Amino acid sequence: MTFSILSAAAHGGGVPAWAMLAYLAAGVFFILALRGLSSPATSRAGNRNGMIGMAIALVTTLVTHDIANIVEIAIALAIGGAIGVVVARRIAMTQMPELVAGFHSLVGLAAVVVGFGAWLDPQSFGIVDAAGQILAVSRIELGLGIAIGAITFSGSVIAFMKLSGRMSGSPIMLPGRHVINLGTLAAILGLIALYTVSPQGAAGEGWMVIAVAILAFIIGFLLIIPIGGADMPVVVSMLNSYSGWAAAAMGFTLGNTAMIITGALVGSSGAILSYIMCRAMNRSFISVIAGGFGADAGAGGGGGAREQRPYKQGSAEDAAYMLEQAEKVIIIPGYGMAVAQAQHALREMGDKLKEKGVEVKYAIHPVAGRMPGHMNVLLAEASVPYDEVFELEDINSEFAQCDVAFIIGANDVVNPAAKTDKSSPIYGMPVFDVDKAKQVFFIKRSMGGVGYAGVDNDVFYMNQTVMLLADAKKMVEEIVKSLD
Amino acid sequence: MDFISILSIFVLACFVGYYVVWSVTPALHTPLMAVTNAISSVIIVGALIASAEANSPIAKYLGLFGVVLAAINIFGGFAVTERMLAMYKKKEK
């Protein structure tokens, strides 16, 4: 095996040594970009590092290639850039999950497009042997890159539609879907293998690549439709991971270190986030992917199986009175807060209480919201300082010393059944110990609805619980008025 | 670069990714996803190559299309990350 840094033979043929170093530098800047996110204080510098890395990669590519059509490329960049910036400026923070899903779909589609570009013009990508045939290893990389890209694309489109409400969030279950999925997956791998061994220009060679893309589009669609709304944080993380692997596969094809490093970073990032989300729901990754969670929530809830139990209902004035008497209040926001857009009113309430000398903390469950960290962003948007916001493990021991637990738009994450009821679908999920707080206020639209898991919640009926049945935003605004 | 060198970089980068991502604070998981979106669009390098070296007209237009897609992600991803990160503030004291 001969290796010369100056003449890169097979992969990325003709790329000069300085360009390879530049791509390596870009990769290092991307690592620094993620490293910066270890704390909000360094995060913005991290983001700038990401931009620098991207600029290096872009300029290096443009300089080292024949850029006869620089005008067209500039126009394409300008169009994409303008769309990106406008969308980024206008998007509401509550819509972040769907925006991220939409972005994932673009990465996937771009990978498919690049894969086909490399397949049509292999010379430019430096993936041909002396006889002008695409190398076997490059065929595998191309096939996998196109397949992963296509799965990412169609899967993310479905996730986007479910998250933005363009499609129902409830799982759609096809009969025999596991057999269909595994069969499709086997067909994709078989076609890639067949493509790898068939000579260039052989009958049907082109159709194999196109068939791989089409089947992968289909399986991406089939994989996501049976997954319900509550599992969306896992799905968004998983698609994040796939988009990384798609970029890595294309990096292999091009022998480009920037793409390989980025692909590995993004791939592991998504995988770790998926793991954190699964752990926070005490569910295995396989059971999430198999789908169907929460499918019978509607049917079971209305069946009359649930007994009517007595609960206390309170008003905004009651809540305001108790809150201002408290020494320590812990607020638990959930997806319902995002839906009601109550985060700004909530922060006002927090400010009023702090003026009155009450200690206010926010507690966030890892799966609160529709994507990892969603609640943190919404609270940050409402100018809640990040050092008042705590993770589950860090704050759970404090409920025993707190006077009021204030639950707004959360449900399953405070359900004690997760700790005690082995038959509950959420058994084993780590939850907030709100039952230890002296007083619980629970904002909920009505007593009818149950959480995504479709299970009743004993917290509603506890002695120290007062239900505040109203729209979250209106209720909090009334509490704020009563606090004056 | 030969396949083994590329694979070595990839495997080591996976380990770097593992440790770097575990050190990301959970409060910033949403910006993490947005910025990974932006950087994974470094795939634009491939789209630029396809569009720049016009040996095949279809490849060229596919490449240009890829440039548009990736550019949306790059600019949009970094911009929205910046917007989110600017909102994270410490307590004023």
Side-chain angles (χ1 to χ4, degrees):
Chain A
M1 185 165 59
T2 53
F3 177 75
S4 159
I5 196 170
L6 292 173
S7 64
H11 287 82
V15 179
W18 73 263
M20 294 175 94
L21 290 174
Y23 284 129
L24 178 61
V28 172
F29 273 108
F30 292 147
I31 294 173
L32 293 174
L34 299 199
R35 180 77 195 126
L37 293 174
S38 57
S39 133
T42 54
S43 58
R44 296 181 80 182
N47 197 34
R48 305 270 155 72
N49 281 330
M51 295 181 197
I52 295 170
M54 189 60 73
I56 293 175
L58 274 180
V59 170
T60 307
T61 309
L62 288 174
V63 171
T64 50
H65 286 85
D66 185 15
I67 37 169
N69 54 347
I70 186 70
V71 178
E72 285 164 293
I73 289 177
I75 292 172
L77 271 174
I79 294 173
I83 297 174
V85 170
V86 168
V87 170
R89 288 243 173 97
R90 292 213 178 142
I91 195 88
M93 284 300 141
T94 42
Q95 293 171 308
M96 273 319 290
E98 60 205 69
L99 178 74
V100 167
F103 277 165
H104 286 154
S105 74
L106 298 182
V107 179
L109 191 55
V112 175
V113 164
V114 172
F116 274 99
W119 174 62
L120 288 166
D121 186 7
Q123 279 86 9
S124 299
F125 282 78
I127 52 172
V128 289
D129 60 14
Q133 296 259 321
I134 300 182
L135 297 161
V137 64
S138 300
R139 287 169 181 243
I140 299 174
E141 292 157 4
L142 266 186
L144 286 177
I146 289 175
I148 303 171
I151 292 174
T152 311
F153 172 70
S154 55
S156 302
V157 168
I158 300 299
F160 170 80
M161 299 218 293
K162 286 196 170 195
L163 286 164
S164 61
R166 288 176 174 83
M167 189 175 155
S168 158
S170 56
I172 299 167
M173 318 279 269
L174 293 179
R177 61 186 196 283
H178 299 310
V179 178
I180 299 175
N181 288 350
L182 289 175
T184 314
L185 191 65
I188 291 171
L189 294 176
L191 277 168
I192 294 175
L194 197 61
Y195 167 64
T196 307
V197 295
S198 50
Q200 202 153 334
E205 187 231 5
W207 285 108
M208 289 177 205
V209 184
I210 293 171
V212 164
I214 292 172
L215 286 176
F217 279 133
I218 293 173
I219 200 174
F221 174 78
L222 291 175
L223 274 175
I224 308 303
I225 54 167
I227 303 182
D231 284 341
M232 275 301 148
V234 183
V235 169
V236 175
S237 312
M238 182 183 82
L239 293 166
N240 184 240
S241 183
Y242 287 179
S243 70
W245 304 131
M250 287 302 145
F252 271 91
T253 306
L254 286 166
N256 184 300
T257 39
M259 278 163 83
I260 292 167
I261 293 174
T262 313
L265 289 177
V266 179
S268 23
S269 165
I272 290 172
L273 291 175
S274 312
Y275 168 76
I276 294 175
M277 293 301 111
C278 286
R279 190 182 56 179
M281 296 192 292
N282 190 38
R283 312 211 25 226
S284 74
F285 188 66
I286 300 293
S287 81
V288 172
I289 297 307
F293 194 63
D296 42 23
R306 208 147 58 87
E307 52 183 318
Q308 287 293 323
R309 292 155 70 182
Y311 60 88
K312 275 180 241 161
Q313 191 177 344
S315 67
E317 290 77 27
D318 303 337
Y321 177 76
M322 289 304 293
L323 283 167
E324 61 188 351
Q325 301 296 314
E327 263 175 51
K328 182 169 178 174
V329 174
I330 300 179
I331 299 171
I332 301 159
Y335 186 61
M337 179 196 78
V339 174
Q341 298 271 17
Q343 63 268 33
H344 297 279
L346 190 65
R347 195 260 307 149
E348 255 185 88
M349 187 186 95
D351 285 350
K352 284 257 155 66
L353 290 174
K354 279 191 280 178
E355 280 168 29
K356 294 176 190 288
V358 182
E359 184 187 4
V360 179
K361 285 185 173 178
Y362 296 81
I364 297 189
H365 195 278
V367 291
R370 278 292 187 268
M371 71 185 292
H374 191 195
M375 287 300 125
N376 300 78
V377 171
L378 292 178
L379 291 180
E381 186 200 13
S383 311
V384 172
Y386 63 79
D387 37 6
E388 287 178 10
V389 183
F390 296 87
E391 303 301 317
L392 172 66
E393 310 91 84
D394 299 328
I395 200 165
N396 216 7
S397 59
E398 295 185 27
F399 281 101
Q401 295 102 49
C402 94
D403 302 294
V404 177
F406 190 88
I407 302 160
I408 170 167
N411 189 348
D412 293 336
V413 299
V414 297
N415 194 336
K419 292 185 282 188
T420 52
D421 181 4
K422 284 205 171 120
S423 64
S424 169
I426 59 168
Y427 179 72
M429 169 172 159
V431 290
F432 291 113
D433 297 329
V434 289
D435 43 337
K436 291 188 181 148
K438 289 194 192 88
Q439 172 93 53
V440 177
F441 284 105
F442 206 125
I443 300 190
K444 207 168 175 308
R445 197 177 282 277
S446 71
M447 287 305 286
V450 284
Y452 293 107
V455 285
D456 206 357
N457 192 340
D458 284 340
V459 171
F460 302 157
Y461 315 108
M462 293 189 314
N463 254 338
Q464 71 267 44
T465 303
V466 174
M467 301 299 295
L468 304 171
L469 300 178
D471 173 77
K473 189 179 175 187
K474 278 194 196 122
M475 177 55 74
V476 176
E477 281 170 350
E478 280 174 38
I479 295 176
V480 170
K481 264 184 236 154
S482 311
L483 281 172
D484 280 325
Chain B
M1 261 199 282
D2 60 292
F3 180 73
I4 299 299
S5 311
I6 298 174
L7 187 65
S8 311
I9 295 172
F10 177 69
V11 171
L12 294 176
C14 283
F15 278 92
V16 172
Y18 179 84
Y19 289 106
V20 169
V21 171
W22 270 117
S23 74
V24 171
T25 168
L28 294 177
H29 276 161
T30 295
L32 170 69
M33 292 196 125
V35 82
T36 52
N37 246 316
I39 65 173
S40 59
S41 299
V42 70
I43 204 161
I44 197 170
V45 167
L48 286 171
I49 295 173
S51 58
E53 310 214 4
N55 293 329
S56 147
I58 308 175
K60 178 184 151 184
Y61 286 106
L62 272 179
L64 285 172
F65 179 53
V67 170
V68 174
L69 295 177
I72 296 176
N73 251 331
I74 292 172
F75 286 87
F78 282 126
V80 85
T81 308
E82 190 72 22
R83 202 180 130 201
M84 280 191 277
L85 294 177
M87 300 185 313
Y88 283 81
K89 298 209 174 67
K90 258 188 123 107
K91 219 179 305 194
E92 292 156 37
K93 262 188 185 167

